[in-house]
Amino acid sequence: MNLLLFEINPFTPPSVPISLAYIGAYAQANGFGVKIITLGEGTPFSLRHLQTLIEEYKPGLVGFSTYQRNIFYVLGLANAIKKIAPEIKTVIGGPQATFLPSVSLAQSSIDFICREEGELAFFTIAKTLLEDSAIPLVPGCSCKLEDGRFSDGPPLIGYTNLDHLPSPYLSDGLIDFEKIDEAILLTSRGCPYQCIFCYTPNAFKQKVLFHSIERVIEEIERIVKRGIKKIWFADPSFSFRMERVDELMENILKKNFKLDIWLETRADLINTELLKKMKRAGIKQVAYGLESASEKVLSKLKKKISLDQIRKAIDLTHQQGIGVELFTQFGLPHETFEDAMTTFRFLKDNQVPIRGNSNSQQTQIYFGTELYTHHKKYGVFPFENQTPPYLSIGDQYETSCLSSGEIKKIKVIWEKESLDGGKRMVS
Amino acid sequence: MTKVLSIKNAIILLNGKNRSRGYKDFLAPIFPLLDLYSDIYVVSENFLEDFSRFMETMKEVAQFLTAHKFYRINLRPLHPFSSSAHFIEIYTTLHYTLLPFMEEAYRHQNISRLMIFPVIQLKEAGDEKNLLSFLEFLRERNLVPSLYLQNFSSLSIQNLINTQKERVYIERGEGPPEEKIVRTLCCHLQCDKLLAWFNTPVRSGLPEDRTLIFSEKDQIFFVGLKNFLTGNSLDAHSGALISEIEKTFLKNYDDPLFHNLAVLPQLKETFLTNNRKREAANIFFSLGLELVKREDYAKGLDLFEEALAMPGGIDDLRAVLLSKALCHLRLHDFKSAQAGLDAVEKEDPTDAMVHYYQGQLEFGLKDYIEAIDRFKKAIEIDARQIPVGDAYYYMALSHIDILEYDDALTCLAEAEKNFSQDKLSPIFYYQGICFLGKNNLDAAYQFFQKALCSNPAQEDLSSIYLHLGICHKEKGEYLSALDDLKKAREAEEDRLDVHNLMGFCYFKLKYYDQAIACFLRAVEINPHSAIDWANLGVNVRAKGEDEKAIILFKKALGLDPTIGFAQKHLQELLEKKNR
């Protein structure tokens, strides 16, 4: 059976579909045909393409990487696919799907909602369909019944050793090396912290799983061999185990890869020795999560980090000649306009240029976060604007401390000071 | 999968007063061919008269978007500026028509799937006050305006436009108004595509011209700018219109580089006017690299110069300088190549690629010892950064040139490991050369045969056959040698060395007439080839034509007095004559 995976984002250029590639690699290793389609701004892809693709490739199952920003387009695309071939089954996965209320998709063309590890869940659905099993309940998924309601399958027993999941970079045909100049790598998954705005701890049950150093080096070796020198480590907390990162850097140095690496980590998971080694291994930028430079606001985010720790990390990183990016947000619970300006000034005071990932953004409130579940407790008031139930609060709210007008004002101030000006419509 | 067409941009040229029939029928089949995110320009000389047609277009688009909720289309009406109150009414109506899509976007925390970006045409500067208030009116309604300037500088209106979000189109060139507009729009569209192409981390080939142009007046379609400019149209009434459009588009896809280069002069101005200098520099560099891939080093060099001249700076200066040096190298401008490489090396003496190119340069300058050192250094620094197979290959050639055949064989063995199977013929050929140099004729012959059986390039055939012939000749197998040499001649008729060797073999076989014919062809190819004049003399003398032989030996010695056997023959003939 052939499987088709879609990554659709109409607002940005297409990116390396790393999550889908993992899912595809697992299904491919288990005997399925897999094709990944990445649709971004400017991708040549028409309705005619879609028809030809469905008619010629004949997928039995189509999966979509889904998040708040693209779910509207995902549902439209799924609908179009069902019109072309009603027998095709559809599944959504990704951040938006994990905690999405099932009832919100009762009228949609979606047949399965993936709730747990995508690789296993997607493969299990495909296998069930292939075996024509009469039981629609699939572990790790919500499955649509004949009456349109969804029923949850039993929990999925996932791997504890991530190396059991085939690498997209070591599998054939999933990553087109000719078309990318930067590889995204995940050396670990999950996060043990409890930040109220983040869905990752809940999605991964606050566990962190790791790939072995050998596996990561093998992937880098393959990537480098294909002429790619830029690597983005997308782990949520890259240096959660500092001794492991030290070992990884050591191995990168031994291999003399000459890389250009970007990574994100916590400011309290770094020290001078590690940064020195990172610099030598090719780390050019480290992004830290600051969120807010107001101690009052920061302490209520359950991030368990102090401004002093962040300042120290910035200094140490700069001392090693590594660039620093800071993730910040505005519109956070308990944040006043003055608090937001404190964050803005913090970047300037610490010589962090406002561009790229250091452009601030309004807090997005997603399903699965503590902030979503207890938004009233945090003084967050969603707008009453008939948002469809498959969308979370997102940025459609004001807080007990900030009106929507003030939030807009903060956004404008950040945009005005941005060094890369944000995205422009002109050539 | 079957290659399928998708149209990124459509340009509709409206007709003014005389409305054509079937407009909707012409448009409807086009929508499924549009990219999921596409732009439609609607060009009107008189927007008041064309407004109903524009509304018709908009309704069609809205209908399509409602049925396909994964599409996003921008409508861009292009028309002259007028301070008439009617224009306020028109855009107020348009704004209201957009409301359902704006509401959908708001509810979904998204960008509207149908947007209008008016392009206001200005024929000359003036009336700034009215224009400014009109632009403000549009901005307040999220109808982000752009300006289209006809033959005047953007400087005079720079205070009117916010280039962070809005665009300035500058019309240039000759031709009828419609042609100039289409050319300008296509140029800007290509500019957008190049920017998107440059900014995406997942980069495929160069962006193609995926623009469809429809003339309402003539009821014809044009596929891409090139067909519009050459008048190569498709009849809108044709029953097979869609398949004809597809066929023409797919043909156009063949060479996107051509299209990008054709719009280049205007692209440069567009990038500069819209403050995209950094991107422009990088795009010129990328286009230059495409040209280098096609071995068009002169044009590639021009684009690298353009990239460096852009005031916005370039992301990877080292790569541009290296690429420039490569072009100089290939164009045999060794002095410029040297200067460029030295500058990069000064910045980073541990750059493997610089040492690799320096090796190429020294090879070009025939300083083979220095070339070998450079290639060795490049490999030592980081073999993964350089085309390591090529480095070993050129290192081997350098060793051959200084007669170090064992070292050359070692390098060729390394090169062989790094070359793909279909490119091994030259390796085998040079292995043959090495064994020939070592006087191991059987091994040499085997490698030349291997080179012949490994899909050699047409231009290499003659050399391979020549060396097979040499192997036979060295073993005294003159008839077999002639078999190979004839094939060498067939592959490349005007090779002096082939005719020379054939003449030699015929002489050894005492076929003097054939030998004479070969040497005559040799001196025809190079009248200054003293050795071939002398060889002619030898054969003529063998036929007993002493007088003729004396003339030929004198000719040979006149060109090169050091040819021993010619001196000997001449002396003998003169002595015989004087006896």
Side-chain angles (χ1 to χ4, degrees):
Chain A
M1 182 162 81
N2 281 337
L3 312 175
L4 192 57
L5 291 161
F6 273 102
E7 171 89 30
I8 177 169
N9 188 342
F11 311 103
T12 58
S15 58
V16 181
I18 188 66
S19 305
L20 290 183
Y22 265 104
I23 291 169
Y26 192 83
Q28 191 171 276
N30 283 285
F32 288 97
V34 176
K35 199 185 267 288
I36 300 173
I37 306 288
T38 313
L39 303 176
E41 197 174 29
T43 309
F45 195 87
S46 59
L47 181 59
R48 184 124 165 152
H49 266 114
L50 184 68
Q51 280 160 343
T52 311
L53 178 67
I54 299 297
E55 281 158 16
E56 292 186 5
Y57 190 63
K58 297 185 173 43
L61 178 65
V62 180
F64 301 91
S65 181
T66 312
Y67 30 100
Q68 174 101 353
R69 187 88 163 127
N70 78 344
I71 189 165
F72 178 78
Y73 286 83
V74 164
L75 297 177
L77 195 54
N79 212 21
I81 290 170
K82 285 273 189 183
K83 270 187 193 159
I84 298 166
E87 70 282 5
I88 292 176
K89 296 293 178 191
T90 55
V91 52
I92 61 164
Q96 192 71 4
T98 310
F99 298 103
L100 184 82
S102 298
V103 68
S104 68
L105 296 185
Q107 305 301 317
S108 74
S109 297
I110 302 300
D111 299 303
F112 298 92
I113 307 168
C114 174
R115 307 294 194 178
E116 298 186 55
E117 277 114 314
E119 290 91 344
L120 292 174
F122 186 70
F123 162 71
T124 314
I125 297 169
K127 196 166 157 268
T128 309
L129 293 174
L130 190 66
E131 289 164 356
D132 202 18
S133 169
I135 308 158
L137 291 185
V138 179
C141 295
S142 300
C143 318
K144 193 181 258 179
L145 306 174
E146 275 181 9
D147 61 5
R149 286 183 303 117
F150 279 85
S151 179
D152 294 341
L156 196 68
I157 300 159
Y159 288 120
T160 49
N161 180 355
L162 277 189
D163 284 359
H164 281 118
L165 302 174
S167 161
Y169 293 103
L170 303 174
S171 308
D172 289 331
L174 291 171
I175 303 276
D176 189 347
F177 288 97
E178 300 297 315
K179 290 184 178 175
I180 59 172
D181 60 2
E182 178 183 60
I184 302 175
L185 280 180
L186 282 165
T187 80
S188 64
R189 291 184 191 185
C191 180
Y193 298 93
Q194 290 174 287
C195 304
I196 60 165
F197 53 84
C198 184
Y199 117 112
T200 307
N202 279 344
F204 290 88
K205 301 179 179 73
Q206 283 179 261
K207 281 183 199 152
V208 187
L209 298 174
F210 301 93
H211 281 293
S212 65
I213 299 296
E214 294 75 28
R215 158 76 175 260
V216 180
I217 292 294
E218 197 186 348
E219 285 183 316
I220 298 176
E221 229 158 16
R222 178 79 177 271
I223 289 163
V224 169
K225 213 169 182 180
R226 300 302 300 266
I228 295 157
K229 295 278 175 183
K230 281 168 91 175
I231 288 188
W232 171 14
F233 285 119
D235 308 37
S237 287
F238 181 73
S239 51
F240 175 60
R241 276 196 195 156
M242 284 158 78
E243 70 285 357
R244 178 180 167 273
V245 174
D246 186 88
E247 193 189 338
L248 177 61
M249 294 300 126
E250 198 63 56
N251 275 277
I252 290 174
L253 281 166
K254 260 188 220 158
K255 296 273 181 182
N256 193 21
F257 283 134
K258 299 210 167 179
L259 300 169
D260 180 339
I261 302 173
W262 181 98
L263 61 89
E264 63 174 293
T265 191
R266 281 174 63 94
D268 55 351
L269 296 176
I270 219 79
N271 60 40
T272 305
E273 286 315 303
L274 188 57
L275 282 165
K276 270 186 188 166
K277 206 168 267 183
M278 283 179 165
K279 169 72 180 174
R280 282 168 49 222
I283 277 84
K284 299 285 191 291
Q285 289 270 349
V286 176
Y288 299 110
L290 164 65
E291 319 311 342
S292 170
S294 153
E295 289 280 13
K296 174 196 78 186
V297 177
L298 190 58
S299 66
K300 287 178 178 161
L301 297 179
K302 298 191 183 171
K303 197 174 170 76
K304 293 181 182 161
I305 204 158
S306 72
L307 284 179
D308 282 344
Q309 283 172 310
I310 293 169
R311 276 193 204 98
K312 193 178 162 199
I314 296 170
D315 279 350
L316 292 180
T317 314
H318 278 155
Q319 276 169 27
Q320 297 309 321
I322 299 174
V324 172
E325 289 189 319
L326 289 178
F327 291 114
T328 61
Q329 308 180 49
F330 52 85
L332 286 160
H334 315 291
E335 184 185 57
T336 62
F337 187 84
E338 190 42 45
D339 290 329
M341 290 302 100
T342 306
T343 307
F344 176 72
R345 285 192 294 273
F346 184 92
L347 269 78
K348 295 207 154 192
D349 293 346
N350 287 279
Q351 283 88 48
V352 177
I354 302 174
R355 65 169 167 240
N357 294 304
S358 298
N359 285 308
S360 194
Q361 63 167 0
Q362 187 187 340
T363 303
Q364 303 283 320
I365 303 175
Y366 295 131
F367 293 131
T369 62
E370 185 179 330
L371 192 51
Y372 175 79
T373 314
H374 302 291
H375 59 267
K376 276 187 193 153
K377 187 181 103 185
Y378 284 103
V380 170
F381 308 110
F383 300 149
E384 287 177 5
N385 59 359
Q386 295 175 303
T387 296
Y390 49 76
L391 285 179
S392 179
I393 298 170
D395 60 3
Q396 301 293 295
Y397 67 90
E398 49 190 10
T399 72
S400 52
C401 301
L402 283 171
S403 67
S404 60
E406 283 172 314
I407 291 175
K408 269 184 200 153
K409 204 170 157 189
I410 298 165
K411 189 179 175 203
V412 170
I413 291 169
W414 277 98
E415 277 177 1
K416 217 171 171 184
E417 288 294 318
S418 170
L419 293 170
D420 52 13
K423 202 181 162 204
R424 290 176 292 185
M425 293 300 293
V426 296
S427 60
Chain B
M1 201 181 97
T2 309
K3 195 162 183 182
V4 184
L5 159 73
S6 67
I7 298 166
K8 173 69 183 157
N9 315 101
I11 300 174
I12 299 171
L13 304 167
L14 292 183
N15 186 24
K17 278 180 185 166
N18 304 317
R19 293 273 71 99
S20 59
R21 286 182 187 177
Y23 178 76
K24 274 201 294 193
D25 299 334
F26 299 144
L27 280 193
I30 302 302
F31 290 123
L33 302 181
L34 289 176
D35 266 9
L36 298 194
Y37 321 116
S38 38
D39 289 84
I40 300 176
Y41 283 81
V42 183
V43 180
S44 165
E45 187 53 37
N46 185 336
F47 201 47
L48 287 180
E49 286 176 355
D50 282 331
F51 181 59
S52 61
R53 191 58 112 198
F54 182 80
M55 282 300 287
E56 211 177 323
T57 313
M58 191 161 158
K59 274 179 194 158
E60 285 296 306
V61 172
Q63 218 170 349
F64 182 76
L65 288 175
T66 306
H68 301 93
K69 291 191 173 172
F70 52 102
Y71 259 87
R72 217 184 108 196
I73 294 176
N74 295 323
L75 272 172
R76 299 179 188 265
L78 188 158
H79 58 79
F81 171 65
S82 161
S83 53
S84 152
H86 291 302
F87 272 74
I88 300 290
E89 271 174 46
I90 280 177
Y91 277 103
T92 304
T93 310
L94 289 177
H95 175 64
Y96 280 116
T97 319
L98 288 176
L99 285 180
F101 286 93
M102 289 163 87
E103 196 191 45
E104 174 196 271
Y106 178 66
R107 284 198 299 113
H108 289 88
Q109 303 173 20
N110 237 309
I111 294 172
S112 177
R113 295 190 299 121
L114 175 58
M115 290 177 90
I116 293 182
F117 295 94
V119 185
I120 309 300
Q121 196 179 6
L122 295 178
K123 296 191 176 175
E124 55 193 21
D127 206 10
E128 275 86 357
K129 199 180 155 199
N130 282 327
L131 175 63
L132 191 59
S133 65
F134 182 58
L135 295 179
E136 278 308 316
F137 163 81
L138 294 173
R139 284 173 191 136
E140 280 162 15
R141 280 150 191 81
N142 281 328
L143 302 164
V144 181
S146 291
L147 293 183
Y148 184 100
L149 310 183
Q150 286 180 302
N151 291 313
F152 69 98
S153 162
S154 63
L155 291 174
S156 54
I157 48 90
Q158 64 183 353
N159 56 332
L160 300 182
I161 199 101
N162 167 15
T163 52
Q164 286 292 310
K165 287 190 176 170
E166 297 159 7
R167 181 198 298 259
V168 180
Y169 298 80
I170 299 177
E171 186 182 271
R172 290 285 181 265
E174 300 300 311
E178 260 185 4
E179 186 181 312
K180 284 199 280 189
I181 288 175
V182 171
R183 194 200 298 265
T184 304
L185 291 182
C186 285
C187 172
H188 276 256
L189 295 172
Q190 203 55 27
C191 190
D192 284 355
K193 279 183 248 168
L194 277 167
L195 282 170
W197 173 77
F198 172 71
N199 284 320
T200 173
V202 184
R203 198 179 296 179
S204 45
L206 277 171
E208 296 128 340
D209 180 10
R210 297 188 293 116
T211 308
L212 185 70
I213 301 146
F214 174 60
S215 164
E216 189 202 5
K217 187 175 81 186
D218 302 318
Q219 303 195 2
I220 48 177
F221 284 94
F222 298 94
V223 173
L225 177 64
K226 198 168 129 191
N227 284 315
F228 178 81
L229 295 177
T230 53
N232 188 12
S233 63
L234 299 172
D235 186 352
H237 298 278
S238 163
L241 178 68
I242 297 301
S243 71
E244 281 174 26
I245 288 176
E246 265 184 315
K247 221 165 78 186
T248 320
F249 257 116
L250 294 175
K251 208 170 137 198
N252 270 14
Y253 282 2
D254 287 348
D255 196 357
L257 181 60
F258 173 82
H259 175 66
N260 285 294
L261 293 176
V263 294
L264 207 59
Q266 202 164 334
L267 277 184
K268 189 177 161 189
E269 193 176 9
T270 302
F271 282 126
L272 287 172
T273 308
N274 289 286
N275 199 22
R276 307 304 290 258
K277 300 176 188 83
R278 189 192 131 258
E279 288 97 329
N282 289 297
I283 285 168
F284 280 118
F285 173 50
S286 303
L287 290 175
L289 286 181
E290 292 296 323
L291 284 164
V292 166
K293 274 186 208 161
R294 295 179 184 208
E295 299 181 5
D296 190 342
Y297 300 108
K299 276 191 194 151
L301 193 59
D302 287 346
L303 288 187
F304 297 143
E305 298 284 8
E306 291 273 13
L308 290 171
M310 277 284 166
I314 186 116
D315 284 358
D316 193 348
L317 181 63
R318 176 192 146 275
V320 186
L321 293 176
L322 273 180
S323 306
K324 243 184 88 178
L326 172 69
C327 290
H328 285 306
L329 206 60
R330 296 286 179 260
L331 294 167
H332 294 103
D333 178 359
F334 296 127
K335 205 175 154 192
S336 303
Q338 182 88 69
L341 289 172
D342 287 350
V344 186
E345 191 178 352
K346 205 174 156 193
E347 289 295 311
D348 183 4
T350 64
D351 188 322
M353 204 64 195
V354 177
H355 287 281
Y356 170 74
Y357 280 144
Q358 292 276 27
Q360 292 259 358
L361 176 67
E362 299 300 347
F363 183 82
L365 291 168
K366 298 187 176 165
D367 186 343
Y368 300 114
I369 295 171
E370 183 66 19
I372 291 165
D373 284 347
R374 287 292 193 167
F375 289 130
K376 264 189 195 161
K377 182 87 181 162
I379 294 165
E380 194 182 293
I381 292 172
D382 191 352
R384 288 168 311 210
Q385 277 189 18
I386 58 167
V388 67
D390 283 353
Y392 277 116
Y393 179 73
Y394 283 103
M395 199 154 49
L397 266 51
S398 305
H399 280 301
I400 289 172
D401 273 302
I402 52 176
L403 309 179
E404 294 173 348
Y405 297 116
D406 286 325
D407 291 331
L409 282 168
T410 310
C411 292
L412 286 169
E414 288 300 318
E416 191 179 341
K417 289 180 201 163
N418 290 283
F419 273 41
S420 60
Q421 284 298 315
D422 58 332
K423 289 184 176 155
L424 288 177
S425 183
I427 305 258
F428 297 143
Y429 170 75
Y430 282 108
Q431 281 170 329
I433 295 284
C434 290
F435 282 111
L436 195 60
K438 284 159 65 80
N439 214 20
N440 184 343
L441 296 177
D442 289 335
Y445 189 82
Q446 274 178 19
F447 276 106
F448 291 133
Q449 278 290 1
K450 223 171 149 185
L452 196 61
C453 300
S454 306
N455 192 26
Q458 184 61 34
E459 63 266 27
D460 293 341
L461 274 177
S462 164
S463 291
I464 298 172
Y465 280 120
L466 170 67
H467 283 87
L468 283 167
I470 290 172
C471 290
H472 282 303
K473 179 216 110 182
E474 292 295 322
K475 290 164 98 177
E477 300 162 357
Y478 301 116
L479 279 172
S480 301
L482 280 165
D483 285 343
D484 285 323
L485 292 169
K486 281 176 192 166
K487 287 175 191 160
R489 185 180 61 185
E490 209 173 293
E492 200 175 334
E493 201 285 321
D494 56 355
R495 273 187 77 147
L496 187 131
D497 48 3
V498 173
H499 292 287
N500 173 290
L501 197 58
M502 284 179 76
F504 178 83
C505 292
Y506 281 125
F507 170 74
K508 284 289 184 185
L509 292 165
K510 297 192 168 51
Y511 297 162
Y512 301 122
D513 287 334
Q514 286 94 325
I516 287 168
C518 289
F519 289 124
L520 276 173
R521 177 69 185 120
V523 294
E524 194 184 353
I525 293 165
N526 181 9
H528 301 290
S529 175
I531 197 84
D532 288 306
W533 286 111
N535 283 328
L536 267 174
V538 171
N539 282 278
V540 169
R541 188 184 178 194
K543 284 182 73 181
E545 297 173 21
D546 290 0
E547 283 303 320
K548 273 191 194 168
I550 288 172
I551 294 167
L552 290 164
F553 286 128
K554 280 184 177 171
K555 171 99 182 165
L557 289 167
L559 289 164
D560 181 359
T562 66
I563 304 174
F565 73 90
Q567 288 169 356
K568 189 171 167 269
H569 277 286
L570 183 61
Q571 198 182 345
E572 285 170 7
L573 285 168
L574 290 174
E575 280 173 9
K576 188 180 165 191
K577 193 179 172 186
N578 293 334
R579 243 182 260 147

